[in-house]
Amino acid sequence: MKTTRLLALGLLACGPALAAPAADSLHFRTNDRSVTVRVADDQLSSADIQLSFKEDDTVRGQAFGRPVNLTVKDDTIRGTYGQRPVNLDVTDKEDTIDATGTFGGQVTSFQVSPQQITGTVGACSYELLITRHDRYEGYRTCAGKLDKSVSLTIPSSLADDEEELVTALSILLAQ
């Protein structure tokens, strides 16, 4: 279940907020944007993201002006992001989290391991390699445009909860 929450968060967090990274923050940077999301208890927050993970396996709130209504249960993430469907299957194989399906109506298939984050979310494909214990760096291609300076820093508080990590990454990488 922890794996599924993390995937959904990742897909939502790729908005245009600008901030400096902090130890308790998820930070995503590309050539043209920087997003920092504060991670606290069962919440993610920034100027553009306000999400709460509820005890009933739901994620509710807003991300980049879109309502988020997700159920995270039995290695799946189901619901809506904006008015578009979310239907992700999440598997945890040894040390790799694999997410496949749709997020916000976009085809999604990506993997997260201690060594790399690779795959496709909507119009973007990612190849990020670990450069230190909490930071991945590499490139992405979105709609044919190559961005060679992509970085993602994941705080240990988020990395320790697979469901929240998958949810967060799904949100970030989908933008």
Side-chain angles (χ1 to χ4, degrees):
M1 276 25 132
K2 289 181 180 181
T3 304
T4 313
R5 280 190 188 182
L6 291 176
L7 176 64
L9 290 176
L11 288 175
L12 291 173
C14 276
L18 293 173
D24 62 344
S25 297
L26 174 67
H27 186 70
F28 180 71
R29 176 172 293 219
T30 67
N31 272 340
D32 58 356
R33 77 175 50 157
S34 179
V35 179
T36 299
V37 181
R38 186 171 184 272
V39 178
D41 298 321
D42 289 332
Q43 297 185 359
L44 298 177
S45 61
S46 74
D48 294 309
I49 298 173
Q50 298 80 39
L51 295 176
S52 295
F53 290 88
K54 308 292 186 179
E55 289 185 22
D56 65 352
D57 297 326
T58 60
V59 180
R60 301 278 189 271
Q62 295 274 330
F64 304 103
R66 299 177 194 146
V68 176
N69 183 4
L70 303 173
T71 300
V72 179
K73 190 173 184 179
D74 298 328
D75 296 328
T76 63
I77 301 172
R78 305 280 188 262
T80 57
Y81 173 51
Q83 301 302 315
R84 307 206 60 191
V86 173
N87 186 5
L88 286 174
D89 292 318
V90 180
T91 55
D92 189 354
K93 302 174 198 170
E94 297 176 20
D95 66 348
T96 301
I97 299 167
D98 186 37
T100 305
T102 60
F103 190 90
Q106 298 182 58
V107 174
T108 299
S109 179
F110 71 91
Q111 299 74 42
V112 179
S113 77
Q115 296 80 30
Q116 62 187 3
I117 297 173
T118 59
T120 302
V121 180
C124 298
S125 61
Y126 291 85
E127 184 72 35
L128 305 175
L129 302 175
I130 194 76
T131 57
R132 64 178 200 225
H133 76 280
D134 63 348
R135 183 180 175 97
Y136 294 84
E137 295 180 345
Y139 66 90
R140 75 176 185 170
T141 304
C142 293
K145 181 182 172 191
L146 178 63
D147 184 344
K148 292 184 179 182
S149 60
V150 176
S151 67
L152 177 65
T153 302
I154 302 172
S156 61
S157 60
L158 186 59
D160 291 343
D161 188 329
E162 294 172 357
E163 293 169 341
E164 288 183 13
L165 177 62
V166 168
T167 302
L169 291 178
S170 297
I171 291 169
L172 280 172
L173 301 177
Q175 301 303 312

